[in-house]
Amino acid sequence: MNLSILFSEQYRKIARDGLWDNNVVLTQNLALCPLLAVTGTATNGLGMGLATMVVMVASNAAVSVSRHLIPSEIRIPIFVLLIAALVTLVDIFLNAWMHELHKVLGLFIPLIVTNCVILGRAEAFASKQPVMPSMWDGLMMGVGFTAAMVVLGAMREISSAGTLFANASVLLGESFRFLETTLIPEYKGFLLMALPPGGFIMLGFMVALKRLLDRKAAAKITEPTIIDTIVLEEGA
């Protein structure tokens, strides 16, 4: 694969959409059930985000490869079956190699099948595009989703327990031990942030911050420069 293609306008737009402009959580407000349920810690958010990203990349690739073979009348059920097969494989892998994380995430791993983001990208993008752009779209959407999960989990974990990536070595493996950090020693904790209402509160702050940044960026683009103003005045 020629890596220079990743810097083309098409691929840069796909990346920008997935990471920011059309972010699964902050813009589309989708997948809120696992988002609020498992992001009590940054470790859980990272694990769930990576599992979802793998399924998204693989499902986009599978749908794109078979897009000319699937009758349009039954494409949605077939897409769901493909996604379900991939989620089953991820579930088996986590159970075998990351059993502690699998126990924490529990039911939310099989529920990745019902994640409307995965089915939506398969229908809206992968079913109409070649394999490489489809995989790139799945990767960028997955990275954007994972980033939102980790940031929300980190905010909740810090405010509720004063730690960051607690038990990462237990849930993700010894290679992730370096992530474990205690930011506030002897912190008494703030229980609300560990519960779903705390997730809603933190998510609201994140969405508000994104919209504020988007408005400021749009204002800078539309704001006339001094030179433009002088040119307009001379033309008048």
Side-chain angles (χ1 to χ4, degrees):
M1 175 186 173
N2 186 3
L3 294 180
S4 63
I5 194 175
L6 299 179
F7 298 97
S8 66
E9 180 60 29
Q10 178 190 14
Y11 281 78
R12 284 190 287 121
K13 184 180 185 306
I14 292 173
R16 189 168 58 249
D17 281 347
L19 297 175
W20 187 260
D21 292 345
N22 202 26
N23 185 275
V24 171
V25 175
L26 303 179
T27 302
Q28 300 184 60
N29 298 132
L30 298 175
L32 297 185
C33 179
L35 180 81
L36 298 173
V38 305
T39 54
T41 67
T43 303
N44 294 349
L46 178 61
M48 188 66 182
L50 292 177
T52 303
M53 181 175 65
V54 169
V55 173
M56 200 174 297
V57 173
S59 64
N60 271 18
V63 168
S64 180
V65 168
S66 58
R67 67 188 187 279
H68 298 304
L69 304 175
I70 301 175
S72 60
E73 296 81 4
I74 58 171
R75 67 186 186 282
I76 299 300
I78 292 179
F79 292 167
V80 173
L81 287 175
L82 285 173
I83 295 169
L86 294 169
V87 170
T88 301
L89 293 175
V90 170
D91 188 40
I92 293 172
F93 173 84
L94 289 177
N95 197 13
W97 298 100
M98 298 179 176
H99 185 62
E100 294 300 320
L101 179 62
H102 183 271
K103 288 196 298 184
V104 171
L105 299 182
L107 179 64
F108 293 99
I109 298 174
L111 284 178
I112 293 175
V113 178
T114 64
N115 192 327
C116 51
V117 176
I118 301 176
L119 181 60
R121 296 316 295 173
E123 166 66 13
F125 193 92
S127 63
K128 303 177 180 65
Q129 299 291 335
V131 177
M132 291 311 301
S134 298
M135 292 181 65
W136 183 247
D137 176 77
L139 179 63
M140 290 298 101
M141 285 289 173
V143 170
F145 178 66
T146 302
M149 294 274 285
V150 172
V151 171
L152 179 59
M155 292 169 62
R156 294 178 64 186
E157 182 180 357
I158 292 170
S159 57
S160 65
T163 60
L164 187 62
F165 289 102
N167 300 319
S169 59
V170 176
L171 300 179
L172 301 175
E174 282 297 323
S175 57
F176 289 86
R177 181 177 292 277
F178 73 95
L179 293 175
E180 298 179 0
T181 307
T182 300
L183 298 177
I184 310 175
E186 301 181 4
Y187 182 55
K188 300 301 181 181
F190 185 21
L191 180 60
L192 177 63
M193 290 298 107
L195 300 175
F200 271 111
I201 294 171
M202 287 299 186
L203 179 60
F205 283 125
M206 290 173 61
V207 172
L209 178 61
K210 180 188 182 299
R211 293 184 178 180
L212 178 63
L213 294 175
D214 285 340
R215 287 183 181 178
K216 287 188 175 181
K220 286 184 179 180
I221 294 175
T222 58
E223 186 179 74
T225 63
I226 297 176
I227 297 177
D228 292 335
T229 304
I230 294 174
V231 170
L232 289 174
E233 289 177 351
E234 288 181 351

